Amino acid sequence: MRKQSSKLGPSLELYGHVDVLLAKGRGELDVVAQVQRIPGYRIEGEVERMAHAALIAELAERVCEDRHPLDGVYELAVSSMDELSRESDPRRASAWFLMTALDLLGYAPQLINCASCGRPLEARPAAFSPEAGGFLCDRCTLPAMDLVPLAAIKVLRLMASGDLDTYRRLKLDDKIMDSIDGVLQTQLEYHMDRRLKSLAFLNRLRIAQ
């Protein structure tokens, strides 16, 4: 789409779900020849929700090479945007997206056994190591490592199981969500070649609030 005044513009609102017909343009850019909005979610208004939508969109774009989509990423992004539009706390929706995306990419953290020695984790707070790929048992935890609360570990296990209905019903306070975000973001950034701009913005926004 070359002109901002194009009649196609309103259908191309940010983070919308659309069906488009593209024509090959000059260079690397395609031209939008036809567009139809697909009924469903709508994300607009508050800055925080839009920032979480940016995180979903940026990560989905980052893991897909141009014209070579990764199976499952498009469907995950659409379902996550829909969940984001429904969820009262946008952090919950993007956390679910990050957990599912990590599993899809083969980077899911080890949550049941020690990521270093393989021993079953006891029902207690545990340290998380992105280098090892998950949580560590008491024997493998270094003295300076912070511990993730057991409640957060249990929620992460539920998320990894894919039980979205139960996850929606959980009451999660800010402390638990901070721990969940910390684990997922640390695991993601360890495996990404560059930091996500949207994630950095979200963290600055959270500090400012």
Side-chain angles (χ1 to χ4, degrees):
M1 189 173 68
R2 295 191 178 95
K3 299 179 180 179
Q4 293 183 347
S5 59
S6 170
K7 62 181 180 179
L8 302 179
S11 297
L12 291 172
E13 66 181 18
L14 201 58
Y15 309 126
H17 188 197
V18 296
D19 185 10
V20 297
L21 176 64
L22 300 176
K24 187 171 180 58
R26 298 177 181 176
E28 298 180 354
L29 296 179
D30 293 329
V31 177
V32 178
Q34 182 177 324
V35 58
Q36 180 178 357
R37 182 174 177 83
I38 298 176
Y41 70 83
R42 195 181 191 92
I43 297 174
E44 58 185 357
E46 58 193 275
V47 173
E48 184 179 4
R49 193 173 302 273
M50 296 288 282
H52 282 281
L55 172 60
I56 294 172
E58 184 181 3
L59 180 56
E61 186 275 335
R62 180 72 65 83
V63 301
C64 292
E65 296 182 15
D66 189 30
R67 304 180 192 279
H68 293 84
L70 183 66
D71 288 344
V73 171
Y74 169 78
E75 292 79 6
L76 174 59
V78 171
S79 64
S80 297
M81 290 290 190
D82 181 69
E83 187 69 16
L84 180 61
S85 70
R86 301 168 184 268
E87 178 59 68
S88 59
D89 182 0
R91 293 179 69 184
R92 294 170 59 111
S94 64
W96 179 269
F97 168 76
L98 290 181
M99 173 61 85
T100 309
L102 285 168
D103 182 58
L104 188 64
L105 296 170
Y107 302 143
Q110 175 58 254
L111 306 173
I112 304 298
N113 299 316
C114 176
S116 180
C117 69
R119 289 166 50 88
L121 294 171
E122 297 185 19
R124 64 177 63 183
F128 181 78
S129 169
E131 294 84 359
F135 286 98
L136 303 176
C137 67
D138 292 345
R139 295 182 181 181
C140 298
T141 298
L142 299 177
M145 300 180 76
D146 295 328
L147 300 182
V148 177
L150 178 60
I153 298 175
K154 289 182 176 180
V155 175
L156 287 165
R157 289 170 178 169
L158 174 69
M159 296 167 70
S161 74
D163 189 352
L164 180 56
D165 289 337
T166 301
Y167 176 71
R168 286 170 174 161
R169 295 195 296 268
L170 294 178
K171 294 182 179 180
L172 306 176
D173 59 30
D174 288 341
K175 184 177 180 180
I176 293 179
M177 283 307 307
D178 287 343
S179 297
I180 292 172
D181 281 343
V183 168
L184 296 176
Q185 292 177 18
T186 302
Q187 180 76 351
L188 176 67
E189 293 194 329
Y190 179 79
H191 290 283
M192 300 293 289
D193 56 348
R194 292 176 297 169
R195 294 195 66 186
L196 297 174
K197 295 180 180 178
S198 54
L199 192 54
F201 175 78
L202 270 170
N203 289 331
R204 291 198 302 270
L205 182 65
R206 190 167 300 125
I207 294 173
Q209 290 178 341

